[in-house]
Amino acid sequence: MKGNKEKEWERAPRGLEDFLSPREPIPKRLYLVLALSSFAFFLLVWSVLTYGGFVDPLFLPSPGRVFRAGVDLFVELEFTTDILSSVYRVMSGFIVAALIGVPLGLFMGTFKVAEALTEPVIGFIRYMPASAFIPLFILWLGIGDIEKIAIIFVGSFFQLVLMVAVVAKNVQKEMLETAYTLGARRFQVIWKVLLPASLPGIVDTLRIIVGWAWTYIIVAELVASASGIGYMIISSQRMLRTGNIIFGILTIGMLGLLTDYFFKWLYDRLFPWVE
Amino acid sequence: MEEGIKLHIHNVSKTYRSDGHEVLAVDEIDLKIRNKEFATIIGPSGCGKSTLLRIVAGLVKPTKGIVRLDGNVISRPGYDRGMVFQSYTLFPWLTVKENIQFGLEISGMPKAQQEEIAQQFIERVGLKGFEKSYPKGLSGGMKQRVAIARALANNPAILLLDEPFGALDAQTRALMQELLTQVWEELHKTILFVTHDVEEAIFLSDRVFIMTARPGKIKAEIDIPLERPRSYEIKATESFLNLKKQALRLIREEAIKAIQCRE
Ligand SMILES: Nc1ncnc2c1ncn2[C@@H]1O[C@H](COP(=O)(O)OP(=O)(O)O)[C@@H](O)[C@H]1O
Ligand SMILES: [Mg+2]
């Protein structure tokens, strides 16, 4: 179906209104060109502003300077250590949240009893911003890894539980009923139907949550830290090294993108059967 | 236990309660399905057909009355009452063959035997060559054939089919009816089938029950003495058309009553 539609595109004469019809597919190549040109445009504006001398390089250095700042960061300032320490914190907090949150979310989405016990509390805590916990956690846990991991945990756990619960709840009721009529007992229905049916949704939830975890870690490191990407950014601010700051921000963006692609790749590998 | 009666739905009523108001979905239905009979319930949508089938499956508890299968009172779902729904319910993470083996595996049957039975039913529903396909690659008709094979492979005492062809286009639907007739004529399973398509009901069944608009009651019963094996050509014969006329008249009376009730 899709293939045919794309082929028709090759043949039919097209006007601008065809490209501006809601949700109409556009040729793949056009998509790629448009996507790349948005990056190019961004870079162009940046270059014109900086190389053209329109802004003070102290506040916005040129792309070339940011690149050099990046090289310096890696060669002289051990930026790799900062990256690794942020990655370590994000992953620890995220993994602990996932290990507890996924089973709990499944319970919540499966049993009304579990839902009644946990939903109201978690629904309440979820609206407390994780960053507001930072001062409290610093008092309790200091400014080391543990405090950062705790922030990541608070930031991801409660959202994760609620999202996984929704995934479990959305499993088609007739699918569970079919399993019963094929002789499955309650435990088997959960283990052999509810769980595998929920897995793709769970992996997708994890992908979204880990993206949020990246924003929490930076905030936590900006507030108080002795290492990490956020720490590098805030120390660069004190020394007016804007190039380092921008390079740090770009690095976070790249790391976020990489994790996102990793989860998408994992999803395609694990669930080739999803429609 | 009455002679030759497979399933006895005994004065069953079901009232749904939600948000303070009550819906009487099924009203005092008494129905006896004979052994090895193909019985069909036909009725307008919303009249409680699915509810009745769910009660027989043990998925919904009746508010009143009991259901007996082979004389035993039903209290919960079990492999002896296989069910096929209108919506596609194949497990998408399992292949066609694994889907068909699902019930057998749960019962603890040895692997070799599972595979033999699965293969036999794959061939019976004409899906040879699709053993390793995932449901996402199958058409709607193929999905329902797998669902029927999956239910039959379990060797249930009765097969419950809730508008299994309701989502299919007319041509596929006709072919599926032929396939089901053929399978039934080979296996002689007791089947309780639900539909709102008169022609489908007559073509498939030994007996057709006509259900009233909600609250659902059984209004009439039509014997279908058409000879077997049946092929699609039978749909154009005079005896078929007479039965169709008779059924349509009864259904129309019901529909009129339903409209008057609402006014
Ligand atoms: N779980 C439920 N809760 C409340 N009402 C229901 C439920 N299931 C069905 N009903 C109501 O019961 C009536 C019969 O539904 P159903 O058995 O699905 O009819 P049919 O299958 O004949 O279309 C409908 O009015 C429907 O809205
Ligand atoms: Mg229904």
Side-chain angles (χ1 to χ4, degrees), chain B residues 116-139:
Chain B
E116 194 189 313
I117 294 176
Q119 198 56 44
Q120 183 197 327
F121 279 97
I122 284 169
E123 281 165 32
R124 193 158 247 147
V125 298
L127 282 174
K128 206 160 187 249
F130 289 95
E131 289 86 348
K132 295 204 168 79
S133 306
Y134 285 108
K136 81 163 172 178
L138 304 182
S139 69

Side-chain angles (χ1 to χ4, degrees), chain B residues 11-15 24 26-29 55 61-65:
Chain B
N11 285 330
V12 161
S13 300
K14 173 69 192 179
T15 308
L24 180 58
V26 167
D27 188 16
E28 298 261 323
I29 285 191
I55 290 172
K61 292 223 183 323
T63 320
K64 263 199 301 193

Side-chain angles (χ1 to χ4, degrees), chain A residues 172 177-178 182 192 272-273, chain B residues 54 87 92 105 136 150 154:
Chain A
Q172 196 196 351
E177 292 182 326
T178 302
L182 288 168
K192 287 181 174 267
W273 47 265
Chain B
R54 277 201 161 85
S87 56
E105 194 201 311
K136 81 163 172 178
R150 178 175 63 181
N154 238 9

Side-chain angles (χ1 to χ4, degrees), chain A residues 9 31 66 88 94 108 144 146 245 253 261 275:
Chain A
W9 267 110
Y31 193 97
V66 169
Y88 165 72
F94 169 73
M108 237 172 91
I146 297 295
I245 299 182
Y261 270 91
E275 307 216 13

Side-chain angles (χ1 to χ4, degrees), chain A residues 27-43:
Chain A
K28 234 186 181 150
R29 199 179 301 159
L30 178 64
Y31 193 97
L32 199 71
V33 169
L34 288 176
L36 285 178
S37 53
S38 64
F39 273 104
F41 177 74
F42 173 72
L43 203 65

Side-chain angles (χ1 to χ4, degrees), chain B residues 44-51 54 86 162-163 194 196:
Chain B
S45 86
C47 75
K49 304 183 296 295
S50 296
T51 302
R54 277 201 161 85
Q86 173 178 358
D162 189 359
E163 306 198 40
V194 157
H196 57 249

